[in-house]
Amino acid sequence: LAKTTQPISMDSYEGQEVNITCSHNNIATNDYITWYQQFPSQGPRFIIQGYKTKVTNEVASLFIPADRKSSTLSLPRVSLSDTAVYYCLVVPSATGGSYIPTFGRGTSLIVHP
Amino acid sequence: GAGVSQSPRYKVAKRGQDVALRCDPISGHVSLFWYQQALGQGPEFLTYFQNEAQLDKSGLPSDRFFAERPEGSVSTLKIQRTQQEDSAVYLCASSWPLRTKSYEQYFGPGTRLTVT
């Protein structure tokens, strides 16, 4: 399964747009990209998923270039409540064998007033 | 409906004790995952069920760890003869089968295990 690499931490200010990029160089043809958010003392929460180009929902946008070797989670106009750890996760759409979700350490985003 | 629930939320065990952690997935979700999360780290995969079948247990750190899901719904993670290095948050997640359109896993709040 594709290994992912993200920045360990990022800082931003309220009202700014935040972009977190994840590298997944050996992503397979059938793999999807998903992102999760985790607050302290809670389980991760699904934010968005995508396969290619751009996906947008009420929370975030996900940009995936044509080669799909990376993806960027975009959070518009962040607030203090967006302070959390963000994980990029590559998921196979079909499994002949086993599937081992790999979260990595994620990106710790701190939003300042 | 209700989300994924886990019990107990907190567990303190003396070294050498056995513990059992319970996960109630969302009704109808056939896939169930267990993870271990150490402080400051991301969730680490332990094991995966599809209905009652345990399809992968390669992440279980030792033979002291055992998971079951006998009727394809509730799952229990058991740790025998707990050690201090077992102290962590244990997360359970459920989802639809992987071949469906959504790859979203729904996580429970976790059980924080402290071994003294």
Side-chain angles (χ1 to χ4, degrees), chain B residues 75-104:
Chain B
S75 178
T76 304
L77 177 67
K78 298 179 179 177
I79 309 173
Q80 297 176 321
R81 303 181 303 282
T82 52
Q83 305 293 316
Q84 283 195 314
E85 62 263 27
D86 300 335
S87 296
V89 175
Y90 291 85
L91 294 162
C92 173
S94 69
S95 72
W96 301 107
L98 280 176
R99 290 192 177 86
T100 58
K101 284 187 79 172
S102 171
Y103 302 95
E104 178 174 358

Side-chain angles (χ1 to χ4, degrees), chain A residues 30 32 34 36 38 41-46 49 87 89 91-106, chain B residues 9-10 33 35 37 40-45 48 55-56 58 91 98-110 112:
Chain A
N30 293 326
Y32 273 71
T34 61
Y36 286 78
Q38 186 176 27
S41 301
Q42 294 185 24
R45 181 179 74 103
F46 174 87
Q49 70 178 39
Y87 298 96
L89 189 70
V91 182
S93 65
T95 53
S98 65
Y99 161 53
I100 300 179
T102 304
F103 278 81
R105 290 189 63 183
Chain B
R9 290 293 315 277
Y10 303 91
F33 300 82
Y35 297 87
Q37 186 169 27
Q41 305 294 317
E44 295 271 351
F45 170 84
Y48 161 55
L55 298 188
D56 193 306
S58 61
L91 294 162
L98 280 176
R99 290 192 177 86
T100 58
K101 284 187 79 172
S102 171
Y103 302 95
E104 178 174 358
Q105 293 185 40
Y106 296 77
F107 280 81
R112 181 177 297 278

